[in-house]
């Protein structure tokens, strides 16, 4: 075994680490979602990934195998006791200005992408967290402040360079392996290691209007009313999250945080209704575009175990909000930093794309909700997961049946992602697209080398 590792060390540009080696780094956003890997390979170039898979300790020695992007999922899908491919150094960005396409290596993080692209007055579809990798984010869908204007990140992906289970490097685009591109638009890490993504770029102004309003629990009725009124006139360049959180003083608050991708004047006009409600705390300012995702950096530092479930709702009303507030109040007794966040990203563009466009199957016009538990005492883990599921049930309860049955937005459905003993959850997640995904799994990964995240079973 160590002879083979020595060979691999010599043959790749990147690094190969075993426990105890300098550079052996298992860090993930949620420390409870890591596993002690036997080998970590950190590629510098695409060939490194191919060699790692071809040399495949993972396959020949029966080691499990996983891919780590930004390490921000709270599931163990990007962790393994076997061979881990860590994409952190695959982070180069190339811009084709004329065709407005960005060729972005999959390990590049949101903030690096914002900083690079704004030099050209352009932006890609990225999420609200500075440290998430473009690979993990896009392959699971990809929501963010640009969703209203341009839709899902996965729908903006026009090509990908992929290392398959055999180690072969292939292109996926409309002209080469279009079926693979179809699968990558939502099927996560089921088909290979994505080394680089080709994504549509869009014109971006240099600054945006950023908002943060904090309200008392007694203000919930007026805030919910105001949100429902505002939703009737929401523009594609406006989006925010409405959530429950404990303040620095340990008291529970409701918060609205988000942006208007516009001038300050337009932003102030758009969100005036929320100022008129008399928030107890307000922080609003025109900020540089490349600071948007760093607004949430506080959450990157937060210690403790984390887990998430997603919910979809079609009804946002006070009775529903009050019940989820009560369920959240129970959860924070053991996990005080936990959050429930309703995301008001306009979903119309996503819903307007036909189901057949890609593997991503949540094309209903729902509101996405992120239920996130954060806790520090490992003994509470089973209890917390149970409470998290309760919050999710309560959040979804008054919505239609399809919403209640949905696992929610895939990138938030971490609690279900690695329950792979059967394909029950994969079937649920991919819905009508599942049979086609099974056929493609048979074609591209019949031995299920990639079996970590909502593992798809190959067709018989
Ligand atoms: C604080 C925070 C804020 C977030 N905000 C948003 C948001 O605004 N919008 C949104 O849509 N999501 C958001 N997310 C969710 C995030 O998009 C997902 O958790 C995503 O999967 C994280 O990707 P990652 O690469 O950072 O994580 P990882 O844990 O490294 O990977 C997640 C999954 O993607 C796979 N993967 C990663 N890279 C590759 C690759 N190159 N090839 C093949 N498979 C790969 C992994 O194997 C794993 O299955 C947020 C998460 C956090 C923690």
């Amino acid at each position: 075994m160590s002879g083979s590792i020595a060979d691999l060390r010599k043959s790749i540009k990147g690094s190969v680490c075993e426990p105890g080696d300098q550079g052996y780094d298992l860090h993930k956003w949620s420390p409870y979602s890591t596993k002690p890997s036997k080998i970590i390979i950190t590629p510098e170039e695409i060939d490194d990934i191919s060699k790692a898979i071809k040399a495949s300790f993972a396959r020949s020695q029966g080691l499990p195998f996983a891919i780590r992007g930004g390490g921000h999922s709270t599931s163990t899908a990007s962790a393994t006791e076997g061979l881990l491919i860590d994409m952190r150094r695959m982070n180069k960005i190339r811009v084709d200005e004329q065709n407005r396409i960005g060729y972005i290596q999959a390990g590049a993080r949101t903030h690096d992408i914002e900083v690079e692209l704004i030099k050209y007055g352009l932006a890609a579809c990225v999420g609200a967290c500075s440290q998430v990798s473009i690979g993990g984010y896009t392959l699971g869908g990809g929501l963010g402040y640009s969703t209203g204007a341009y839709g899902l990140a996965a729908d903006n992906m026009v090509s990908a360079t992929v290392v398959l289970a055999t180690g072969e490097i292939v292109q996926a685009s409309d002209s080469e392996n279009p079926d693979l591109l179809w699968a990558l638009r939502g099927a996560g890490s089921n088909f290979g290691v994505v080394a680089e993504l080709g994504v549509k770029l869009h014109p971006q102004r240099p600054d945006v209007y950023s908002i943060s309003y904090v309200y008392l629990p007694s203000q919930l009725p007026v805030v919910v009313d105001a949100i429902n009124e505002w939703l009737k006139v929401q523009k594609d360049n406006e989006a925010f999250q409405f959530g429950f959180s404990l303040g620095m003083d340990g008291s529970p608050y409701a918060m609205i945080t988000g942006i208007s991708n516009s001038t300050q004047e337009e932003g102030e006009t758009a969100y005036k209704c929320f100022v008129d409600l008399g928030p107890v705390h307000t922080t609003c300012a025109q900020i540089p575009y490349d600071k948007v995702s760093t607004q949430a950096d506080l959450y990157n530092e937060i210690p403790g175990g984390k887990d998430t479930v997603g919910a979809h709702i079609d009804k946002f009303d006070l009775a529903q909000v009050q019940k989820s507030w009560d369920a959240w109040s129970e959860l924070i007794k053991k996990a005080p930093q936990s959050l429930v966040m309703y995301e008001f990203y306009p979903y119309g563009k996503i819903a307007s794309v036909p189901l057949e466009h890609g593997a991503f199957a949540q094309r209903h016009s729902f509101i996405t909700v992120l239920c996130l538990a954060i806790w520090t005492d490992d003994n509470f883990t089973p209890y917390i997961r149970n409470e998290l599921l309760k919050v999710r049930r309560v959040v979804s309860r008054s919505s239609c049946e399809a919403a209640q049955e949905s696992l929610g937005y895939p990138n938030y459905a971490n609690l279900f992602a690695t329950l792979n003993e059967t394909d029950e959850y994969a079937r649920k997640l991919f819905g009508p697209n599942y049979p086609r995904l099974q056929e493609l799994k048979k074609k591209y990964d019949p031995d299920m080398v990639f079996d970590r995240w909502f593992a798809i079973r190959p067709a018989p």
Side-chain angles (χ1 to χ4, degrees):
M1 173 91 153
S2 55
S4 331
I5 292 177
D7 289 346
L8 192 63
R9 274 205 175 105
K10 273 188 228 142
S11 74
I12 73 168
K13 217 174 148 196
S15 63
V16 180
C17 288
E18 294 174 274
D21 288 349
Q22 201 186 1
Y24 179 91
D25 181 359
L26 291 170
H27 176 79
K28 282 189 66 186
W29 185 58
S30 172
Y32 295 174
S33 65
T34 62
K35 290 183 177 179
S37 301
K38 273 209 163 77
I39 310 165
I40 303 179
I41 295 179
T42 308
E44 292 271 356
E45 56 186 22
I46 296 177
D47 273 355
D48 289 355
I49 305 171
S50 172
K51 282 174 189 156
I53 296 182
K54 273 189 187 144
S56 203
F57 308 105
R59 298 193 75 183
S60 62
Q61 313 223 4
L63 284 180
F65 176 80
I67 312 155
R68 179 197 186 279
H72 261 57
S73 72
T74 58
S75 79
T76 51
S78 53
T80 176
E81 281 155 4
L83 185 147
L84 183 68
I85 297 210
D86 184 340
M87 296 294 288
R88 73 180 69 206
R89 283 191 228 144
M90 296 283 297
N91 58 5
K92 295 181 192 62
I93 300 167
R94 186 163 53 86
V95 176
D96 174 350
E97 256 186 298
Q98 199 176 351
N99 294 305
R100 287 217 183 123
I101 305 284
Y103 294 94
I104 306 181
Q105 289 190 339
R109 314 279 184 103
T110 310
H111 184 238
D112 303 330
I113 296 167
E114 287 169 335
V115 168
E116 184 57 25
L117 297 182
I118 200 63
K119 293 177 190 162
Y120 300 84
L122 295 169
C125 296
V126 290
C129 170
S130 66
Q131 297 302 312
V132 163
S133 86
I134 185 94
Y137 162 81
T138 305
L139 298 175
L143 298 176
Y145 291 127
S146 61
T147 298
Y150 306 115
L152 208 60
D155 292 340
N156 281 267
M157 177 172 52
V158 293
S159 66
T161 308
V162 188
V163 184
L164 299 176
T166 53
E168 189 190 350
I169 301 170
V170 298
Q171 294 298 318
S173 68
D174 282 346
S175 53
E176 285 177 270
N177 303 305
D179 54 358
L180 183 57
L181 181 65
W182 180 90
L184 295 176
R185 289 189 175 131
S189 48
N190 265 293
F191 286 89
V193 185
V194 173
E196 184 180 271
L197 296 81
V199 299
K200 287 186 195 164
L201 303 180
H202 306 284
Q204 174 57 49
R205 45 175 302 112
D207 54 5
V208 306
Y209 186 63
S210 157
I211 57 163
S212 166
Y213 307 117
V214 179
Y215 301 96
L216 298 170
S218 59
Q219 292 177 290
L220 276 179
V222 287
V223 176
V224 171
D225 271 358
I227 292 176
N228 275 318
E229 283 307 306
W230 178 82
L231 284 174
K232 293 176 191 163
V233 293
Q234 178 183 17
K235 297 198 202 84
D236 282 351
N237 62 343
E238 298 160 358
F240 64 70
Q241 303 92 15
F242 163 68
F244 319 144
S245 168
L246 284 187
M248 304 288 258
D249 61 354
S251 307
Y253 291 101
M255 292 179 320
I256 290 178
T257 50
I259 68 158
S260 170
N261 193 357
S262 68
T263 61
Q264 176 156 352
E265 198 183 2
E266 284 166 307
E268 282 172 354
T269 307
Y271 294 125
K272 181 176 177 305
C273 55
F274 299 112
V275 179
D276 292 346
L277 300 178
V280 290
H281 191 73
T282 302
T283 318
C284 295
Q286 198 71 3
I287 61 165
Y289 167 75
D290 61 14
K291 293 278 180 286
V292 172
S293 66
T294 62
Q295 301 273 94
D297 271 355
L298 177 68
Y299 291 107
N300 288 325
E301 311 302 328
I302 223 161
K306 287 125 190 154
D307 214 335
T308 63
V309 286
H312 271 153
I313 56 167
D314 64 352
K315 203 183 254 177
F316 178 72
D317 61 30
L318 182 60
Q320 192 268 359
V321 168
Q322 194 65 62
K323 281 187 188 139
S324 52
W325 176 278
D326 294 343
W328 168 76
S329 302
E330 280 303 309
L331 176 65
I332 59 173
K333 286 182 183 162
K334 295 269 190 322
Q337 311 273 9
S338 304
L339 304 168
V340 173
M341 298 252 265
Y342 295 76
E343 297 180 327
F344 295 99
Y345 299 142
Y347 214 80
K349 281 254 165 22
I350 298 177
S352 71
V353 172
L355 187 64
E356 306 81 55
H357 181 70
F360 187 87
Q362 282 77 25
R363 299 286 180 187
H364 300 275
S365 197
F366 288 145
I367 294 165
T368 53
V369 186
L370 169 66
C371 311
L372 164 63
I374 304 178
W375 69 103
T376 44
D377 185 339
D378 200 11
N379 293 321
F380 289 151
T381 304
Y383 169 87
I384 300 282
R385 295 209 164 132
N386 205 28
E387 285 300 308
L388 200 53
L389 287 171
K390 274 195 213 156
V391 175
R392 176 177 174 275
R393 268 197 301 276
V394 170
V395 169
S396 323
R397 192 170 291 148
S398 59
S399 287
C400 67
E401 205 181 318
Q404 288 188 41
E405 283 186 0
S406 158
L407 298 180
Y409 169 53
N411 272 339
Y412 298 162
N414 287 297
L415 203 140
F416 304 109
T418 47
L419 301 179
N420 288 328
E421 266 155 38
T422 72
D423 60 356
E424 180 193 346
Y425 290 109
R427 275 179 194 280
K428 243 184 163 179
L429 192 77
F430 299 114
N433 284 334
Y434 192 65
R436 184 168 178 202
L437 284 166
Q438 287 190 284
E439 290 299 334
L440 294 174
K441 189 75 174 170
K442 186 173 161 187
K443 176 174 173 187
Y444 288 106
D445 181 25
D447 298 332
M448 291 186 69
V449 171
F450 300 101
D451 66 348
R452 312 293 302 153
W453 186 85
F454 293 102
I456 294 164
R457 302 301 192 270

